[in-house]
């Protein structure tokens, strides 16, 4: 009997197991918030210890017994452990969301090895620049924390190593663009979320670039996501914007971003409510960026980038500014540009590749005050191509950099004297000069770079290079050969190890005078290009030796010798048998020298970046008088620290910069024809503003939801509300003055949603 | 483009200060304008009579020294200093003492003083470009006022020298609003004697164009405040004299055509 009972029980048990069916279970593993698909991720099903692994699309498939509940566990480095009891049913698709331990990464990094052929190049990635305190998430503002970048008092422009703002050239995807900032330097012309990195090239930069004796700032748009559609929306007190991206085919993907400012409305409101706040201008801007990429194969990639930027200002001045009768009435300013940049990258073989990039677009400037105006409309074509070839010890680069511009310029303005010691003459002083001209000019550039490293492992790396430029805009030089500008450049490295080296870069650089200076309408078409000779030596040591934590050291000394700089000239010169005013000549020169150091330290939660630059920038005017440059800043010290705790990031920036030089005003002379006072200047730049000190704070917080992320930040510039001097403001006859202060404490709050 | 970004930035950050002394307030020695009987001449040895209009209320009449020099404009608009020494066709016109009390005492130490005559050197347009010849070049006249060797005010005006067939002439003041010695807000307005002139010029490409003058006014007062002291001729502005009314006050208006032509009016109150 006992046997029968056991047999029945055993049979029942057996039958139960025999009836436990196998079922196919499918699922997807995603990152919480970003919904990024997690590939090669192991999912454990307990208690049977069944393991599934996701494919490249984050999908997994596993066969399980049809029992009611399984403990599902995913334990992945950098993510919180996922453990849930799940009911398994036939046909059910599981979505497993993994939560990152840290969503806010903060690190200001000089990108090391990737395409860093130029030893003077420093780059900030999105992660680097987005959380920089005081920069409001802006890439170009964040660059100002790097060594060698002056603190800019002209918000919309970047000054490199004691040069002038005109000595810096701006580019997007290596194609020239006229501006990099919206009006007043509020933000750069591309939405930060559409930017992968910003490059900064300083003294001794390579032959790929030219036409700038100071340096280069280049923004690189990023590749659109290919895994799914993705969106970002943000708003803060200055502007709001949207970004969408995603795949359009198996090999193609797109990104579209657009922004519109409302800072003008905010400022108007402040001006209405704040007594004594004379902010009469209400700027607004719009920009849009479009990127399409098509990866035909691993070796061939096509991309199209579209850029649009427009800054507008309109207001009516009821009273003349500074009692200058010309500066009243209708004021209008529009500055815009658009570009379509097509690019083709082709890797011909392991050792040969090339790219070609064609940009087509236009620049528009319209500036009007009453009946005085400047109206510039141009169509631009720029072509950049490069062929790269590797041999055992050599890597050769050959490239061309060509541009053509059709312009239509109309002016009705007085002459602007820029050699004024930073003290502007009244607008009414000069008689307006009117005219309109159409025409074209072009610039040709060729370059070659040749890297030599013995068997790619020697201690020495030598890079001789040459750049050749031709400007059709200047009449200087009798023949084509006379006008060719040969610019040899050379760099070398001595490698102490993979992470430690000494470097040297030098070369000759040139730059076309500003358009207004060299045009035949109101300038001097016989001006020569500006010439600079650079020398940059340094030592770098990455003590992290491949890891992410630790210290990195960058040091450098630079010297720049500047010649044929442009100055105003009232001299009469003979042109076509008659005498006329020369307007401008190439009789000024200068020299800049200094040193810089950059230390980066990072561990799990802390990051500390310190940069210090000491420099002297001198100019010699057309009369042989030596003076400081307007942009001389002896000391420039920046410290950025950040601490990350779970979804919080706290960061701070401290800046100390020597006060900018300024020119004293020793009185004024009354212009009885125009009812204005002309300042009598003392020795140019013989005084200084008080030293600049500023402390900024930033707090970032991320809120992670299953399918989206909400980011909030509070960025407080000048948290101590220190009154920094940016110059002097004078009364109508220059007999009284008052310090013009920089920004007061300025909190900015922003929200960003990522979908 | 970069220059005009800077210009725009200037407008963006320009701000005044309510504590600065006011442009319209008359007190210390000041030149309010310099009249020329012929603001524009040919380069044929013509003589121009210049008359400074000054105010020196705070000092109630004193003797000042006036030194006048002239030369071809060294290029003020292109950044050169306002200085005739060593410049082409330099002339020391006069250096004389002027008794402001005798000349202006009856009009609250404000008004026109001695005229001086200047002969513009002939042929100063020779070898100049056709555009400069037609549009004209400036013959500069610098006035230096001093007391006991200490400079009070330096001022200058230009005499336009051109080959233009129709020369610029001075605008005239036909009438102005009545004002009284009252603490109430009062309107200030002016009627010009003629319409602004149309004039021709060569643009930078050498093409002949026409344009029209714009008349604008500069108002000054010895008491109180003027709402907008620099206005167009067809704009009305307002004056409010000090609440503690003075025994007398003076209001001056200068009419300018933007090309060197001008006229003025002194109103003594009451």
């Amino acid at each position: 009997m006992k046997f029968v009972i056991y047999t029945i029980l055993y049979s029942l048990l057996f039958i139960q197991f025999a009836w436990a069916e196998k079922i196919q279970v499918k699922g997807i593993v995603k990152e919480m918030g970003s919904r990024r698909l997690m590939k090669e991720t192991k999912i454990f099903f307990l208690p049977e210890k069944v393991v599934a692994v996701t494919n490249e699309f984050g999908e997994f498939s596993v066969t399980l017994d049809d029992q009611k509940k399984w403990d599902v566990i995913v334990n992945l480095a950098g993510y919180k452990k996922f453990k849930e009891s799940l009911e398994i049913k036939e046909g059910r698709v599981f979505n497993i969301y993994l939560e990152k331990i840290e969503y806010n990464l903060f690190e200001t990094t000089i990108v090391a090895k990737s395409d860093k052929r130029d030893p003077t190049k420093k780059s900030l990635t999105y992660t680097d620049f987005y959380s920089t305190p005081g920069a409001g998430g802006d890439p170009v503002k964040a660059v100002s924390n790097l060594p060698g970048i002056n603190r800019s008092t002209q918000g919309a422009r970047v000054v490199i190593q004691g040069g002038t703002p005109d000595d810096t050239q701006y580019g997007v995807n290596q194609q020239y663009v006229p501006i990099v900032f919206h009006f007043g330097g509020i933000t750069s012309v591309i939405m930060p979320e559409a930017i992968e990195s910003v490059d900064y090239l300083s003294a001794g930069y390579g032959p790929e670039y030219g036409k700038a004796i100071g340096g280069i700032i280049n923004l690189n748009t990023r590749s659109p996501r290919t895994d799914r559609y993705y969106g970002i929306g943000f708003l803060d007190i200055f502007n709001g914007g949207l970004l969408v991206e995603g795949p359009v085919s198996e090999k193609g993907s797109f990104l579209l971003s657009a922004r519109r400012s409302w800072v003008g409305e905010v400022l108007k409101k402040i001006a209405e409510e704040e007594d004594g706040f004379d902010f009469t201008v209400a700027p607004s801007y719009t920009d849009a960026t479009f990127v399409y990429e098509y990866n035909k194969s691993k070796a061939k990639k096509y991309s199209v980038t579209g850029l649009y930027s427009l800054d507008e200002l309109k207001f009516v001045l009821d009273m003349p500014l500074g009692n200058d009768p010309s500066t009243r009435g209708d004021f209008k300013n529009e500055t815009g540009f658009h570009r379509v940049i097509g690019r083709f990258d082709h890797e011909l073989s392991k050792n040969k590749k090339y790219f070609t990039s064609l940009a087509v677009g236009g620049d528009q400037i319209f500036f009007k005050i009453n009946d005085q105006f400047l109206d510039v409309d141009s169509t631009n074509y720029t072509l950049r191509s490069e062929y790269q070839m590797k041999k055992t010890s050599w890597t050769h680069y050959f490239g061309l950099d060509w541009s053509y511009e059709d312009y239509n310029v109309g002016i009705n303005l007085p002459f602007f004297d820029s050699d004024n010691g930073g003290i502007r003459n009244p607008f009414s002083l000069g008689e307006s000069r009117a005219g309109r001209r159409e025409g074209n000019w072009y610039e040709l550039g060729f370059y070659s770079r040749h890297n030599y490293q013995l068997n790619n492992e020697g201690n020495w790396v030598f890079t001789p290079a040459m750049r050749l430029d031709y400007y059709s805009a200047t009449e200087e030089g009798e023949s084509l050969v006379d006008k060719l500008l040969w610019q040899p450049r050379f760099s070398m490295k001595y490698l102490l190890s993979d992470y430690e080296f000494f470097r040297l870069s030098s070369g000759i650089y040139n730059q076309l005078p500003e358009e207004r200076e060299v045009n035949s309408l109101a300038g001097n078409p016989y001006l020569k290009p500006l010439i600079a000779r650079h020398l940059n030596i340094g030592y770098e040591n990455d003590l992290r030796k491949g890891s992410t934590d630790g210290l990195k050291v960058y040091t450098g000394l630079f010297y720049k010798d500047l010649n044929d700089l442009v100055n105003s000239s009232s001299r009469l010169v003979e042109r076509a048998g008659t005498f006329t005013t020369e307007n401008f000549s190439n009789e000024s020169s200068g020299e800049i020298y200094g040193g810089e150091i950059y230390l980066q330290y990072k561990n799990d939660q802390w990051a500390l970046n310190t940069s210090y630059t000491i420099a002297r920038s001198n100019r010699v005017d057309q009369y042989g008088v030596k003076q400081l440059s307007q942009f001389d800043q002896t000391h420039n010290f920046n410290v950025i620290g950040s601490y990350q705790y779970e979804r919080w990031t706290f960061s701070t920036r401290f800046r100390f910069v020597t006060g900018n030089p300024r020119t004293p005003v020793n009185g004024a002379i009354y212009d009885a024809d125009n009812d204005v006072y002309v300042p009598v200047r003392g020795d140019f730049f013989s005084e200084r503003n008080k030293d600049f000190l500023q402390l900024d704070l930033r707090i970032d917080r991320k809120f992670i939801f299953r399918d989206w992320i909400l980011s909030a930040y509070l960025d407080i510039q000048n948290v101590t509300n220190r009154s920094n001097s940016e110059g002097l403001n004078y009364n109508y006859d220059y007999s009284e003055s008052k310090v013009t202060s920089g920004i007061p404490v300025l909190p900015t709050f922003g929200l960003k949603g990522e979908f | 483009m970069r220059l005009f970004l800077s210009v725009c930035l200037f407008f963006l950050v320009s701000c005044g200060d309510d504590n600065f002394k006011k442009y319209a307030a008359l007190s210390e020695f000041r030149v309010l304008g310099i009249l020329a009987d012929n603001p524009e001449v040919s380069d044929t040895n013509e003589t121009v009579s210049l008359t400074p209009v000054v105010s020196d209320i705070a000092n109630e009449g004193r003797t000042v020294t006036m030194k006048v020099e002239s030369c071809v404009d060294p290029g003020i608009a292109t950044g050169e200093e306002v200085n005739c020494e060593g410049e082409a066709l330099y002339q020391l016109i006069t250096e004389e003492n002027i008794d402001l009390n005798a000349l202006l005492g009856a009009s609250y130490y404000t008004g026109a003083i001695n005229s001086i005559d200047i002969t513009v050197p002939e042929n100063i347009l020779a070898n100049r470009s056709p555009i400069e010849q037609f549009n004209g070049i400036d013959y500069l006249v610098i006035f230096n006022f001093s007391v006991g060797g200490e400079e009070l005010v330096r001022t200058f005006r230009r005499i336009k020298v051109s080959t233009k067939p129709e020369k610029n002439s001075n605008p005239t003041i036909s009438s102005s609003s009545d004002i009284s010695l009252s603490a109430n807000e009062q309107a200030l307005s002016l009627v010009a004697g003629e319409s602004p002139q149309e004039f021709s010029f060569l643009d930078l490409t050498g093409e002949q164009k026409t344009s029209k003058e714009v008349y604008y006014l500069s108002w000054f007062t010895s008491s109180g405040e003027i709402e907008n002291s620099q206005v167009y001729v067809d704009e009305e502005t307002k004056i409010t004299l000090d609440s503690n009314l003075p025994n007398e006050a003076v209001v001056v208006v200068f009419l300018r055509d933007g090309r060197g032509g001008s006229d003025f009016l002194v109103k003594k109150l009451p």
Side-chain angles (χ1 to χ4, degrees):
Chain A
M1 187 62 187
K2 216 176 192 178
F3 172 77
V4 174
I5 291 168
Y6 282 134
T7 304
I8 292 168
L9 284 175
Y10 179 81
S11 301
L12 285 172
L13 203 61
F14 176 77
I15 289 164
Q16 183 186 334
F17 276 107
W19 281 88
E21 289 181 17
K22 300 283 185 184
I23 58 170
Q24 190 75 14
V25 174
K26 290 181 178 176
I28 299 175
V29 182
K30 298 176 183 177
E31 186 179 275
M32 187 180 280
S34 71
R35 289 181 285 162
R36 190 165 67 86
L37 301 172
M38 307 294 294
K39 60 184 178 182
E40 294 172 13
T41 303
K42 287 181 180 174
I43 305 107
F44 294 88
F45 294 85
L46 300 181
E48 299 300 320
K49 294 184 181 175
V50 179
V51 180
V53 181
T54 57
N55 62 17
E56 60 179 317
F57 304 108
E59 297 165 346
F60 67 87
S61 174
V62 64
T63 305
L64 299 172
D65 291 334
D66 187 14
Q67 63 184 51
K68 281 191 176 177
K69 279 198 172 178
W70 289 84
D71 287 335
V72 181
I73 295 172
V74 183
N75 202 357
L76 189 65
Y79 291 84
K80 287 185 179 175
K81 184 177 178 180
F82 178 91
K83 183 179 180 183
E84 274 188 31
S85 288
L86 298 175
E87 259 185 53
I88 305 294
K89 285 182 182 173
E90 180 73 50
R92 180 172 171 183
V93 177
F94 291 97
N95 281 319
I96 295 173
Y97 289 89
L98 299 182
E99 186 181 352
K100 278 174 84 172
I101 295 169
E102 292 176 355
Y103 277 81
N104 267 322
L105 293 173
F106 173 69
E107 181 191 20
T108 301
T109 315
I110 294 178
V111 170
K113 304 280 190 247
S114 60
D115 192 28
K116 196 173 182 304
R117 71 174 82 154
D118 196 321
T120 76
K121 178 176 161 185
K122 304 169 192 72
S123 298
L124 295 178
T125 64
Y126 176 77
T127 316
D128 302 331
F129 65 71
Y130 186 74
S131 303
T132 301
D138 189 83
V140 189
K141 282 186 181 176
V143 164
S144 67
N145 298 308
L146 293 176
I149 299 278
N150 281 38
R151 184 184 77 84
S152 178
T153 52
Q154 304 200 354
R157 308 165 83 190
V158 179
V159 177
I160 296 174
Q161 290 173 326
T164 72
D166 299 336
D167 300 345
T168 305
Q169 192 183 88
Y170 306 113
V172 173
N173 294 348
Q174 297 181 290
Q175 294 285 10
Y176 162 79
V177 292
I179 53 172
V180 74
F181 273 125
H182 286 297
F183 198 87
I186 293 169
T187 180
S188 52
V189 293
I190 300 178
M191 187 168 159
E193 286 77 5
I195 295 172
E196 179 178 293
S197 64
V198 52
D199 300 332
Y200 153 50
L201 285 85
S202 58
Y205 68 83
E208 291 80 2
Y209 292 98
K211 309 168 192 175
I213 59 172
I216 308 289
I217 298 289
N218 181 65
L219 298 171
N220 301 302
T221 55
R222 69 174 171 82
S223 296
R225 294 187 178 216
T226 55
D227 53 345
R228 66 171 178 87
Y229 290 107
Y230 183 86
I232 296 174
F234 81 96
L235 56 92
D236 61 27
I237 63 165
F238 294 118
N239 56 181
L242 283 169
L243 181 147
V244 290
E245 62 183 318
V248 288
S249 66
E250 193 183 330
K251 295 179 178 178
S253 55
F254 81 101
L255 179 152
L256 176 65
S257 74
R259 284 188 304 181
R260 171 75 185 171
S261 76
W262 41 68
V263 64
E265 283 68 28
V266 173
L267 292 173
K268 262 186 184 172
K269 206 72 188 165
I270 294 169
E272 283 168 11
E273 293 172 2
E274 292 288 319
D275 192 28
F277 185 55
D278 289 354
F279 212 142
T280 52
V281 182
S284 70
Y285 58 83
T286 310
D287 63 50
T289 305
F290 174 76
V291 181
Y292 173 76
E293 267 190 20
Y294 181 77
N295 293 296
K296 189 175 182 184
S297 65
K298 279 193 174 178
K300 288 183 180 177
K301 186 172 103 176
Y302 299 88
S303 68
V304 177
T305 305
L307 305 168
Y308 171 81
S309 169
L310 179 66
D311 289 30
E312 291 177 288
L313 278 158
K314 283 180 195 171
F315 60 96
V316 177
L317 281 170
D318 291 331
M319 290 174 67
L321 284 171
N323 294 102
D324 183 351
S326 294
T327 58
R328 62 162 299 187
D330 295 333
F331 181 98
K332 185 178 178 185
N333 176 235
E334 286 180 4
T335 305
F337 76 92
H338 63 276
R339 293 285 186 280
V340 177
I341 305 169
R343 179 172 167 132
F344 173 54
D345 288 85
H346 189 186
E347 198 164 329
L348 299 162
S349 68
K350 190 183 169 188
N351 296 319
K352 292 177 184 174
K353 60 182 175 184
Y354 77 88
F355 76 83
T356 188
S357 166
L358 174 68
V360 181
D363 300 343
Q364 296 85 37
I365 309 167
F366 185 74
F367 170 85
K368 174 181 179 291
I369 182 155
N370 259 339
D371 60 342
Q372 299 183 315
F373 67 90
L374 170 78
D375 183 11
V376 180
D377 201 343
S378 66
T379 306
N380 309 298
Y381 305 87
T382 53
L383 179 69
R384 178 177 277 276
S385 287
E386 185 184 276
Y387 176 76
Q388 179 183 334
M389 182 173 65
K390 276 186 185 175
K391 290 188 173 176
T392 315
S393 300
W394 287 94
T395 306
H396 304 282
Y397 303 85
F398 302 94
L400 73 87
D401 176 11
W402 169 84
S403 65
Y404 174 87
E405 180 177 308
D406 252 330
Y407 64 83
N408 183 332
V409 179
I411 66 166
N412 182 26
L413 285 174
F415 182 88
F416 281 95
D417 170 31
S418 47
D419 301 331
N420 53 24
I423 309 290
R424 193 184 62 90
N425 274 335
F427 212 65
S428 301
L429 181 69
E431 207 169 295
S432 280
R433 304 188 295 177
R436 182 168 285 280
R437 177 157 290 173
E438 294 179 18
N440 61 67
W441 61 24
Y442 61 93
E443 298 167 359
L444 277 175
F446 299 95
Y447 64 86
S448 70
R449 171 197 282 272
H450 311 278
N451 279 22
Y452 174 81
Q453 184 180 23
L454 185 63
N455 298 321
N456 280 322
E457 58 186 19
N459 292 107
W460 290 96
V461 181
F462 298 99
T463 308
M466 177 65 80
R467 184 175 173 99
L468 182 63
D469 277 314
Y470 168 83
Y471 302 109
S472 76
T474 173
E475 302 288 340
E476 178 64 23
E478 289 181 1
S479 65
L480 178 76
V481 175
D482 288 342
K483 292 171 87 168
L484 291 178
L485 297 154
W486 297 88
Q487 299 153 85
R489 297 178 191 177
F490 177 75
S491 68
M492 59 185 252
K493 275 185 185 179
Y494 179 73
L495 305 171
L496 298 166
S497 72
D498 284 350
Y499 303 101
E500 187 181 12
F501 59 88
F502 290 96
R503 58 177 165 72
L504 177 149
S505 305
S506 68
I508 296 177
Y509 302 80
N510 69 64
Q511 177 179 308
L512 191 66
E514 284 184 56
E515 289 170 15
R516 74 181 184 103
E517 295 167 341
V518 76
N519 73 51
S520 57
L521 203 57
N524 177 2
Y526 292 90
L527 284 178
K528 292 180 279 190
L530 291 63
I531 299 288
R533 292 169 183 84
H534 292 184
L535 176 65
N536 189 340
I537 57 175
Y539 164 79
E540 292 181 41
N541 192 354
D542 188 350
L543 297 159
R544 300 173 300 187
K545 300 190 188 306
S547 78
T548 56
D549 290 357
L551 180 69
K552 186 175 179 186
V553 179
Y554 166 95
T555 63
L557 295 170
F558 56 87
Y559 175 77
K560 297 196 272 190
D561 176 38
L562 314 173
N563 288 287
D564 293 336
L565 303 184
V566 176
N567 49 269
S568 304
S569 170
S570 55
R571 190 166 42 210
L572 293 176
V573 290
E574 192 174 348
R575 298 263 193 269
T578 62
F579 286 91
T580 189
T581 307
E582 189 174 32
N583 296 323
F584 299 99
S585 64
N586 291 100
E587 294 172 280
S588 299
S589 59
E591 63 171 2
I592 305 167
Y593 50 88
E596 51 197 26
I597 183 165
Y598 190 45
L599 303 173
Q600 299 169 263
Y601 174 77
K602 187 180 182 302
N603 67 20
D604 283 348
Q605 290 179 297
W606 291 92
L608 190 69
N609 299 320
T610 304
S611 71
Y612 172 68
T613 306
I614 183 169
R616 172 55 65 104
S617 180
N618 294 320
R619 297 288 182 278
V620 179
D621 69 14
Q622 64 267 45
Y623 307 110
V625 177
K626 189 174 179 179
Q627 63 204 30
L628 281 180
S629 158
Q630 183 176 1
F631 302 96
D632 176 77
Q633 290 175 350
T634 310
H635 305 285
N636 188 336
F637 178 67
N638 290 274
V639 183
I640 296 177
S642 73
Y643 174 73
Q644 192 172 319
Y645 177 71
E646 294 186 344
R647 292 170 189 175
W648 292 89
T649 302
F650 304 89
S651 47
T652 183
R653 175 177 71 165
F654 171 73
R655 304 189 83 184
F656 168 82
V657 186
T658 305
N660 279 350
R662 70 161 184 248
T663 301
V665 176
N666 300 331
I669 302 175
Y670 180 58
D671 176 352
D673 295 323
N674 297 305
D675 193 27
V676 287
Y677 287 80
V678 183
V680 176
R681 303 167 182 91
D683 292 339
F684 281 12
F685 305 115
S686 56
E687 295 180 352
R688 279 190 187 273
N689 295 330
K690 282 187 180 172
D691 294 338
F692 176 91
L693 283 158
Q694 186 167 307
L695 183 69
D696 306 318
L697 287 177
R698 185 179 165 111
I699 301 169
D700 286 87
R701 172 72 162 96
K702 288 212 170 194
F703 302 90
I704 312 298
F705 301 94
R706 201 183 70 174
D707 291 326
W708 68 291
I709 300 171
L710 177 67
S711 307
Y713 73 86
L714 176 66
D715 191 316
I716 308 173
Q717 291 186 58
N718 194 14
V719 71
T720 61
N721 198 27
R722 180 186 158 85
S723 178
N724 283 304
S725 167
E726 298 292 3
L728 294 178
N729 185 26
Y730 293 93
N731 73 330
Y732 69 89
D733 66 353
Y734 294 87
S735 59
E736 296 175 308
S737 64
K738 186 186 170 192
V739 170
T740 305
S741 296
I743 56 161
V745 58
L746 179 63
T748 311
F749 178 73
L751 288 171
K752 185 173 79 171
E754 299 170 53
F755 304 92
Chain B
M1 168 170 274
R2 290 163 180 166
L3 173 79
F4 291 97
L5 288 174
S6 303
V7 172
C8 294
L9 193 66
F10 161 75
F11 285 108
L12 189 74
V13 300
S14 286
C15 55
D17 189 318
D18 289 341
N19 298 320
F20 283 155
K21 67 180 183 184
K22 298 290 182 285
Y23 166 85
L26 296 177
S27 176
E28 295 292 333
F29 184 85
R30 188 163 165 188
V31 176
L32 307 180
I34 301 169
L35 299 176
D37 59 351
N38 293 305
E40 186 172 10
V41 296
S42 302
D43 70 339
T44 52
N45 223 17
E46 291 193 42
T47 298
V48 178
S49 181
L50 300 181
T51 308
V53 177
V54 306
S55 176
D56 195 21
I57 296 167
N59 299 290
E60 299 182 334
R62 56 178 164 170
T63 298
V64 298
T65 303
M66 179 177 76
K67 182 181 178 184
V68 184
E69 303 161 284
S70 64
C71 62
V72 175
D73 179 4
I76 298 168
T78 47
E80 295 297 328
E81 282 183 28
V82 183
N83 192 350
C84 272
E85 283 178 29
E87 295 299 330
L89 303 176
Y90 173 82
Q91 297 183 68
L92 174 60
I93 307 296
T94 183
E95 186 163 8
E96 58 189 88
N97 290 329
I98 296 169
D99 184 350
L100 297 178
N101 194 35
L103 276 172
L104 306 172
S107 58
Y108 211 26
Y109 312 105
T110 299
I113 58 168
N114 305 7
S115 296
I116 52 141
D117 289 339
I118 291 176
T119 301
V120 177
E122 61 184 341
N123 296 326
I124 67 173
L125 293 175
N127 295 325
R128 294 287 188 146
S129 70
I131 293 175
E132 283 186 321
Q133 288 188 12
F134 188 85
N135 293 342
I137 64 165
D138 293 323
Y139 192 66
L140 194 69
V141 186
I142 301 174
F143 292 74
N144 195 333
F145 293 92
S146 60
V147 169
E150 188 179 337
E151 184 178 287
L152 291 174
V153 163
R154 284 185 84 204
T155 180
F156 66 94
R157 73 150 293 148
R158 307 160 183 86
I159 299 168
K160 182 68 76 185
V161 186
S162 76
T163 58
K164 213 176 286 177
E166 284 187 31
K167 300 289 193 284
N168 186 26
S169 57
N170 282 316
T172 58
I173 295 171
S174 171
S175 63
S176 73
S177 55
D178 288 331
I179 48 174
S180 60
L181 198 63
S182 158
N184 296 330
E185 186 180 271
Q186 299 176 73
L188 291 176
S189 63
L190 183 144
V191 178
E194 64 288 303
S195 297
Q197 273 181 275
E198 273 207 348
F199 62 95
S200 54
F201 67 97
L202 297 182
D203 76 6
L204 291 163
T205 64
E207 190 179 340
Q208 188 164 324
K209 298 277 177 64
T210 57
S211 187
K212 196 173 184 179
E213 293 172 341
V214 176
Y215 284 177
Y216 68 93
L217 307 173
S218 305
W219 292 93
F220 305 92
T221 179
S222 62
S223 172
E225 289 193 355
I226 293 173
E227 190 180 80
N228 290 338
S229 49
Q230 292 168 298
V231 292
Y232 296 120
V233 73
D234 53 355
E235 288 178 312
E236 188 178 282
T237 185
K238 294 185 178 84
I239 184 170
T240 307
L241 299 180
D242 286 335
S243 54
N244 187 12
L245 277 176
N247 291 328
E248 58 180 3
V250 68
V251 174
V252 182
V253 60
F254 242 88
L255 166 66
R256 289 181 171 85
D257 66 6
R259 295 202 297 144
S262 56
D263 193 9
F264 80 105
L265 184 70
V266 177
K267 286 198 167 204
K268 189 184 170 192
L269 306 178

